[in-house]
Amino acid sequence: MDSKTVAFIGMLSALGIALSAISLNVAPILSTVGQGGAALDLSHIATFIAAIFGGPIVGAMVGLLGGLYSGSYFGFVYGQGLVALVGVPLGKAMTGLTAGILYKKLKIGNGSQHSYLAVPATLLSYIPESIYTVLYFLYIMTALIGPGMAALAPVVAAKAWVEITVMSILMGALAGNTGFREFVNRFLRTQKADKSTDN
């Protein structure tokens, strides 16, 4: 992992934290202190960008680091404790990893001809985290905090799928945008350098 990739991870993790901080504080959906909560969280925008252009490991790392704010927010503002600080970022890392694998297999980010596949790939990449989140609320949070947490599972799952649907459309637009793609590739490495290493 070269210095540009590390810088890319740091930059997108910071973006994920910023998006999370803004969206969580502006758009709470359910905010019963001590009983957990659900809120709009747009940190996965950074996760998906990282996964498209950096691959599965970079996507997972940005998901993990970008999820630290939401983990601490749900842990200490909504009363879910340290378990949220660990559990929330792990779920986000799962999505980054899955998205990176799918984007790489489908060659999304390599050219505009594959950009239409970004929408279904983004939606599919959230399935593991969605299952994890439901189990997290039904079993882990219910056991540690109380039975009231189980009621949050459908609320959190529903709002997450709305977020991911919107983000999937955004990822389709970004993956197909030549200017954005060239900007990111120029930041990470030039396309000519990629071709020369492939030969």
Side-chain angles (χ1 to χ4, degrees):
M1 192 174 287
D2 60 23
S3 59
K4 283 189 176 181
T5 305
V6 172
F8 184 65
I9 290 168
M11 183 177 70
L12 284 174
S13 296
L15 175 63
I17 288 169
L19 288 169
S20 187
I22 292 166
S23 56
L24 285 171
N25 287 291
V26 168
I29 296 168
L30 182 63
S31 57
T32 308
V33 175
Q35 292 299 313
L40 188 66
D41 183 1
L42 300 178
S43 64
H44 267 326
I45 291 173
T47 306
F48 291 130
I49 293 171
I52 287 175
F53 297 102
I57 302 301
V58 172
M61 291 181 74
V62 171
L64 182 72
L65 296 172
L68 288 174
Y69 180 85
S70 53
S72 63
Y73 183 85
F74 289 115
F76 302 111
V77 175
Y78 281 31
Q80 293 177 8
L82 284 174
V83 67
L85 185 58
V86 176
V88 173
L90 279 178
K92 291 181 179 293
M94 198 179 295
T95 294
L97 180 68
T98 310
I101 292 168
L102 288 173
Y103 293 150
K104 193 172 182 179
K105 291 279 185 191
L106 298 171
K107 298 181 180 176
I108 296 165
N110 293 348
S112 58
Q113 70 270 22
H114 298 286
S115 63
Y116 69 94
L117 295 172
V119 175
T122 303
L123 291 169
L124 287 171
S125 70
Y126 185 68
I127 291 173
E129 185 185 349
S130 179
I131 295 167
Y132 165 82
T133 301
V134 170
L135 295 175
Y136 171 81
F137 277 100
L138 289 180
Y139 297 103
I140 298 171
M141 298 304 284
T142 298
L144 293 175
I145 296 177
M149 298 305 292
L152 281 175
V155 176
V156 173
K159 73 93 190 175
W161 277 107
V162 171
E163 291 169 0
I164 297 299
T165 301
V166 172
M167 287 185 230
S168 69
I169 295 165
L170 177 61
M171 290 309 112
L174 289 178
N177 186 296
T178 303
F180 183 77
R181 203 169 56 249
E182 287 177 356
F183 170 77
V184 176
N185 283 326
R186 202 164 37 240
F187 181 84
L188 287 171
R189 63 188 89 70
T190 63
Q191 290 181 340
K192 286 183 182 177
D194 278 350
K195 288 177 183 174
S196 67
T197 55
D198 290 339
N199 293 335

